[in-house]
Amino acid sequence: MLKNIQSIRGMHDILPDVAFAWQHLEQTVSTLLAEYGYQEIRMPLLEQTELFHRGVGEVTDIVEKEMYSFKDRNGESLSLRPEGTASCVRACIQHGLLHNQQQRLWYSGPMFRYERPQKGRYRQFHQFGAETFGIPGPDIDAELIALTARLWERLGLANIRLEINSLGVPASRAAYRRLLVDYFSAHANQLDEDSKRRLHTNPLRILDTKNPDLRALVEAAPNLHDHLDPESDAHFAGLRRLLDGMGIEYRINPRLVRGLDYYTHTVFEWITEELGSQGTVCGGGRYDGLVEQLGGKPTAGCGFAMGTERLLELMQAQGSQPEPENTDFYLVMAGEQAVEQGLILSERLRSALPALRLTCNAGGGSFKTQMKRADKSGALYALILGADELAHGQITLKPLRDSEAEQQSLTLDNLAAELQSRLS
Ligand code: HAM
């Protein structure tokens, strides 16, 4: 016996019984983004590895240990994208989309990270992302946050809290970084291995530690907000004013630093307690230095990405997933002549009723078998065409979901109108 080949750990098939929920989510997100004036952009899944080293940052978890990188047949190092922002910036620079103009863009699709799989954390996962360019003020930060808040409402989601923080500009962050290195160096004996490693590469990430033994030490660390420069202070105050005015609740979390290196000024996350440890459903912020870092002219940037799987899991937990849409009619055809006439009829009906949901029996089968398939299809009605019906120019309409309702004979001449009236 040959061994069955399984999908790769942490990479999942999306089966038909959940695909409808994905479609519903995709539709809702793309409609909302279009309402706010965002345009879709589609980037390749593979990029040069260097893009993520320069874009996401050398000393991030993503670049250090989570990328799927390999050499292609030409010896060039390529990586499956772990996120969309770097690719989006690369595409904008490459195609001149940032010359003296603003952009509001969005994308969706699979991302790849070699993380330890668990509920809500996968190696192939999906994101919806939005990125804006050329808009330096807090107005766009607030718009992006308001857009996500409205999305939760449209999806019927509740209990997602917003945390915001400001990481300042590179100069104030560098000064703060020095303070942190001094502080944690003075307490080096209390640090765990991970934090010791980060002390000289990325000390801000120590603030983000999940290790409860370090909580007290981190709580007592210098607070970035006491060391923000006046420009960052004003930007952050502007954002808070806008959120207050819009009635969007938030919590300021001075320890929110995010796992990617490109952020400046605003960072934010939307977090739920209902998904266990992987409760961040959306994260984003401002990255004013990234375009330049990737070879473009200095350009303001701000965006977010949300995890599709996590949103769907939350919708399921909160009972806000839509019901699957079934077919309306299932055509049962008994006898060779009925099959031929039935298929011709079904194409005529589809032309007359463009949104008709009609599944035609295929592959033969007894009347009983076909009726079983009709039932399993979820159709509301079976349309039955047999020798008798054909002889009288009729078709039988049998309700499948309402045991009280009687079956009826409909004339073939007027069938499109009859079916239409059943749908409305
Ligand atoms: P991120 O925080 O790395 O940010 O990812 C954004 C969201 O993707 C997370 O909040 C989470 O919902 C989802 N996610 C991340 N990793 C996984 C995983 N392994 N399995 C399932 N879901 C996951 C970014 O990627 C930035 N590019 C966001 C951004 C856009 N910032 C500015 N613009």
Side-chain angles (χ1 to χ4, degrees), residues 160-173:
I160 311 179
R161 74 168 188 279
L162 171 64
E163 296 194 349
I164 63 172
N165 190 22
S166 173
L167 298 179
V169 294
S172 60
R173 204 156 75 230

Side-chain angles (χ1 to χ4, degrees), residues 387-405:
D388 250 15
E389 279 88 357
L390 276 181
H392 295 96
Q394 290 182 331
I395 197 162
T396 302
L397 179 84
K398 184 176 164 50
L400 296 174
R401 311 290 148 198
D402 179 355
S403 53
E404 310 271 283

Side-chain angles (χ1 to χ4, degrees), residues 376-392:
K376 188 156 181 271
S377 76
L380 295 175
Y381 301 94
L383 285 168
I384 302 164
L385 198 60
D388 250 15
E389 279 88 357
L390 276 181
H392 295 96

Side-chain angles (χ1 to χ4, degrees), residues 166-397:
S166 173
L167 298 179
V169 294
S172 60
R173 204 156 75 230
Y176 175 65
R177 188 180 187 276
R178 283 194 293 276
L179 279 178
L180 270 190
V181 173
D182 288 348
Y183 170 79
F184 284 122
S185 300
H187 300 86
N189 55 342
Q190 294 177 48
L191 294 178
D192 59 14
E193 282 312 307
D194 219 26
S195 305
K196 276 190 191 141
R197 203 169 45 82
R198 283 176 166 158
L199 184 56
H200 294 286
T201 55
N202 202 348
L204 265 78
R205 288 304 307 278
I206 302 178
L207 300 176
D208 210 17
T209 177
K210 302 275 179 297
N211 184 350
D213 297 340
L214 293 184
R215 194 165 297 147
L217 187 67
V218 165
E219 295 277 329
N223 187 330
L224 173 59
H225 287 209
D226 300 333
H227 303 275
L228 276 186
D229 55 287
E231 182 206 333
S232 303
D233 247 348
H235 188 107
F236 198 45
L239 171 63
R240 294 196 315 265
R241 242 189 340 271
L242 285 166
L243 293 179
D244 291 338
M246 290 168 167
I248 296 174
E249 286 179 26
Y250 57 87
R251 216 189 89 194
I252 298 171
N253 176 0
R255 271 173 281 284
L256 181 68
V257 293
R258 310 260 312 124
L260 304 97
D261 266 0
Y262 44 61
Y263 293 110
T264 54
H265 291 297
T266 312
V267 288
F268 63 92
E269 286 187 350
W270 288 93
I271 303 161
T272 172
E273 299 301 326
E274 292 175 38
L275 294 179
S277 63
Q278 304 304 312
T280 306
V281 291
C282 175
R286 181 164 279 286
Y287 46 85
D288 291 341
L290 184 58
V291 175
E292 202 179 358
Q293 213 169 303
L294 291 177
K297 295 215 178 83
T299 307
C302 189
F304 65 73
M306 46 204 175
T308 311
E309 285 83 356
R310 291 187 193 176
L311 283 177
L312 287 164
E313 282 159 19
L314 190 60
M315 286 168 74
Q316 197 177 27
Q318 299 189 354
S320 69
Q321 267 190 345
E323 289 294 317
E325 287 193 1
N326 290 317
T327 190
D328 292 316
F329 301 99
Y330 190 99
L331 179 59
V332 170
M333 295 164 281
E336 217 169 279
Q337 213 195 343
V339 171
E340 204 175 299
Q341 291 305 311
L343 291 181
I344 295 168
L345 173 69
S346 69
E347 286 307 307
R348 243 188 17 238
L349 286 172
R350 291 186 208 281
S351 300
L353 304 170
L356 179 69
R357 286 187 303 196
L358 165 68
T359 306
C360 292
N361 185 73
S366 69
F367 178 73
K368 202 170 146 200
T369 305
Q370 294 193 40
M371 285 307 288
K372 270 196 190 148
R373 288 183 194 141
D375 191 46
K376 188 156 181 271
S377 76
L380 295 175
Y381 301 94
L383 285 168
I384 302 164
L385 198 60
D388 250 15
E389 279 88 357
L390 276 181
H392 295 96
Q394 290 182 331
I395 197 162
T396 302
L397 179 84

Side-chain angles (χ1 to χ4, degrees), residues 115-126:
E115 295 193 82
R116 198 168 47 76
Q118 63 180 86
K119 183 176 145 56
R121 189 162 73 194
Y122 310 103
R123 289 182 172 171
Q124 174 176 320
F125 62 99
H126 296 72

